[in-house]
Amino acid sequence: MAPVVRFAPSPTGYLHIGNARTALFNALFARARGGTVVLRLDDTDTARSRPEFAAAIAQDLDWLGIAPDRAVRQSDRVALYDAAAERLKAAGRLYPAYETPEELERRRRRQLGRGQPPVYDRAALRLTAEERAALEAEGRRPHWRFRLDPGVVAWTDLVRGECRVEAESLSDPVLVRADGSYLYTLPSVVDDAEMGITHVIRGEDHVTNTAVQIQILSALGAPVPAFAHHNLITTASGEGLSKRLGHLSLRGLREAGYEPLAVAALATLTGSAEAVRPVTDLGELAGLLDLAHVSRAPAKFDTHDLDQLNARLVHAMPYDAAAGRLAELGVPREAGEAFWMAVRANLTRVAQAGPWWGVVQGPVTPVIADAAFAARAAALLPPEPWDASTWKAWSEAVKAETGLKGKALFLPLRLALTGLDHGPDLAGLLPLIGRARSLRRLAGESA
Ligand code: GLU
C-alpha cells in the first residue's frame, strides 16, 4: 500500500532547518514509494498562529521543492475534534478537571519535594457529582484530561527500533482547555485517523506524545500508523532550534543565497549514516534516505558544511540553472555563459558572481607596481577576436619578452587587469574584459 504521510507545522514562525528535516523526511519517504504528502497546518493555538506564517510555510516548502498533494488546516476541522471528544467523554476516557495552574504547580512541587515523579494524581477523577457541581457554581470551568490506561505502550519505531513507554509514568494529558480549545494532541490523532495517515514521521521530541496518541487512537477504534522519530538538528554549539526565535530559518538561508538543494541535502543527510554530499535532485536524495540509518545522537548543523555543499553544487552548476540569477545580477545574456564558466569555480554562492561581473565590466582601479612592465605587456596584447586561448598566448609572449615566469609574471598582470591579487582564471576573464579595457587598465587608467 502506498504510504500517506503528513508534515504538520504550527504556523507560529518561519520554518527552520530542523522543520525542513521533518518535511523532507516525509516528502522523500513518500516520493520513493509513490505515496501522498499532506501539509497540515496545526493552527489550533489561535493566539500564536498567524496567516503570514502559514503563507510563508507554503513558500518555503515550494522553495525546497516539496509540493504537498493536499493541504488542510486544523482550524477548519474543529467539528471532527468535537465529535471525537464527545466519544471519549461517553466512553469515560475524557474527564473534567478543575485545578488551576497554581494548584497544579503546588502539587507538583510537593511531589518533587517528596522525591515522587510529578505525575498528575487524578484527584479530579475522584470528585463526586456534588463536588463538581459546587466547583462549577464557583464559576470554575473544567479542562479535560484523557484517562490513560495503565501498562506499557510499545511500538516499533522506524528510526529508534523497539520503544516502550510506561503509561504510569505520564500524567493524564489535557486534551481540551477550559475555554473549549484543543491542545495539539487530540486534533493530531483525529486527523491522522481521518486522513488515513500510514506513517507519522516527526522529531524525537514527540516520542512521549506517541505513547499517549497510540492510546487515544485505540480508544477511538482507529488503526495505529507506523511511527518514525528522527533526531533533532541543533546548532553547532548544541543548542536546540526554535521557530519562535527564527533560528536558521529557511527564509534566512534563502536570502543568504544558498541553493535549496544544498539545504535539502544537508537537512536530510546530516546525522545519518550517509555522507553529506551534493545531489542533483530530490529524487536522488530520496534514494539516500533510510530511516533505519538515522542516528540517535543529535544532528549538529554547521554553516561551514552548508557552505561547502553549496560551493560544490555551484562549481558543477550548468549555465542554464544560473542564467536567470546572472541576468538579475546585471550580466548580459551574450556574455552569460562564458562569464559563468569563467567564475563558477571561484564561488560559494551564485550571488558572489555579481562582484566578478563588476571586475569584467569595470571600472576597476588597476594596481601597477612597474609601469614599464605593464607597457611592455600591453604592447604584446594580440589583436581581437579573443577566446579562451588568448591568455596563454599573451602571457607566454610576455614571459618570452621579460624573462619573468610563475607568480612574478602572473600576479602583476592580474593586479593590473583586475585590481585584485586573486580571482577566477584569467583565461576565462580576459576575453570578457576585452582588448580596449585591458589596454586602458595596463596603462593605469581606471576602466
Ligand atoms: N504541530 C506539531 C509540531 O510542529 C506536529 C507534530 C506532529 O507531527 O504530530 O511539532
Side-chain angles (χ1 to χ4, degrees):
M1 196 177 69
V4 183
V5 300
R6 84 299 194 278
F7 172 54
S10 313
T12 54
Y14 294 121
L15 296 184
H16 57 53
I17 185 108
N19 305 126
R21 183 175 181 77
T22 310
L24 284 158
F25 272 37
N26 277 286
L28 300 177
F29 181 86
R31 179 178 182 136
R33 294 163 184 79
T36 303
V37 182
V38 179
L39 168 62
R40 187 185 83 199
L41 292 179
D42 284 3
D43 59 352
T44 53
D45 181 347
T46 47
R48 293 203 298 134
S49 299
R50 299 234 300 266
E52 58 270 31
F53 290 134
I57 286 170
Q59 282 166 7
D60 291 348
L61 290 180
D62 184 60
W63 178 71
L64 271 183
I66 297 176
D69 300 287
R70 183 177 172 198
V72 299
R73 313 189 279 223
Q74 292 194 320
S75 54
D76 290 337
R77 301 167 58 85
V78 175
L80 287 169
Y81 316 145
D82 289 344
E86 288 314 314
R87 284 179 57 199
L88 293 176
K89 284 179 195 171
R93 295 299 296 272
L94 196 57
Y95 63 91
Y98 296 84
E99 292 92 345
T100 64
E102 296 72 35
E103 283 165 353
L104 290 171
E105 181 54 26
R106 266 203 302 281
R107 248 183 250 176
R108 215 178 66 87
R109 287 232 198 87
R110 213 178 312 132
Q111 286 171 313
L112 287 173
R114 291 193 199 123
Q116 293 167 345
V119 173
Y120 177 62
D121 62 7
R122 291 183 161 165
L125 211 45
R126 294 186 293 272
L127 292 174
T128 62
E130 294 76 51
E131 285 167 327
R132 279 207 299 270
L135 286 164
E136 303 241 350
E138 266 177 38
R140 293 219 200 185
R141 288 281 152 269
H143 51 274
W144 296 79
R145 288 188 185 261
F146 179 72
R147 183 173 55 73
L148 290 167
D149 273 340
V152 169
V153 182
W155 72 95
T156 306
D157 196 284
L158 298 180
V159 173
R160 300 162 66 88
E162 294 312 311
C163 288
R164 295 164 63 84
V165 175
E166 308 264 356
E168 288 90 334
S169 71
L170 306 176
S171 295
D172 286 344
V174 177
L175 301 190
V176 191
R177 297 188 186 90
D179 66 2
S181 67
Y182 292 96
L183 282 102
Y184 144 82
T185 316
L186 179 65
S188 183
V189 164
V190 171
D191 287 336
D192 288 345
E194 195 273 337
M195 292 177 187
I197 300 298
T198 58
H199 295 76
V200 172
I201 304 172
R202 58 188 178 188
E204 65 186 14
D205 48 334
H206 287 288
V207 166
T208 307
N209 282 338
T210 295
V212 167
Q213 290 179 329
I214 287 176
Q215 284 213 6
I216 301 176
L217 284 162
S218 309
L220 291 171
V224 175
F227 286 94
H229 293 91
H230 62 74
N231 54 355
L232 301 181
I233 295 186
T234 65
T235 64
S237 56
E239 223 187 318
L241 303 183
S242 151
K243 226 195 280 143
R244 205 162 41 79
L245 298 178
H247 267 129
L248 293 171
S249 73
L250 292 182
R251 218 128 270 254
L253 294 170
R254 176 169 82 215
E255 278 155 18
Y258 290 105
E259 300 300 312
L261 262 186
V263 173
L266 190 63
T268 306
L269 299 176
T270 190
S272 82
E274 285 295 336
V276 172
R277 66 181 88 153
V279 290
T280 49
D281 54 32
L282 289 185
E284 184 185 343
L285 194 55
L288 294 175
L289 173 68
D290 182 346
L291 293 175
H293 287 164
V294 173
S295 152
R296 297 283 294 265
K300 281 200 176 169
F301 176 89
D302 194 336
T303 316
H304 177 70
D305 295 339
L306 184 59
D307 283 330
Q308 273 198 336
L309 202 50
N310 206 76
R312 287 170 71 185
L313 278 176
V314 171
H315 297 169
M317 187 181 288
Y319 170 60
D320 285 350
R325 281 178 285 170
L326 293 176
E328 279 169 28
L329 293 171
V331 181
R333 293 256 163 210
E334 325 75 80
E337 182 156 16
F339 172 70
W340 179 244
M341 299 319 275
V343 300
R344 67 177 186 178
N346 283 69
L347 312 176
T348 303
R349 302 177 212 170
V350 172
Q352 292 166 344
W356 291 119
W357 181 250
V359 167
V360 166
Q361 207 189 18
V364 151
T365 308
V367 176
I368 296 179
D370 179 346
F373 166 81
R376 285 163 80 193
L380 291 167
L381 275 175
E384 281 179 324
W386 284 3
D387 60 24
S389 66
T390 305
W391 163 252
K392 186 158 190 278
W394 178 50
S395 58
E396 271 172 10
V398 179
K399 174 178 170 184
E401 164 109 4
T402 61
L404 295 172
K405 57 182 187 209
K407 198 172 167 197
L409 171 68
F410 299 128
L411 187 59
L413 293 178
R414 178 180 287 282
L415 284 166
L417 290 171
T418 67
L420 298 168
D421 61 4
H422 67 281
D425 201 348
L426 281 169
L429 287 188
L430 189 64
L432 293 162
I433 294 171
R435 195 166 193 278
R437 264 193 299 253
S438 297
L439 280 173
R440 292 178 62 194
R441 293 180 188 178
L442 287 162
E445 276 175 55
S446 173

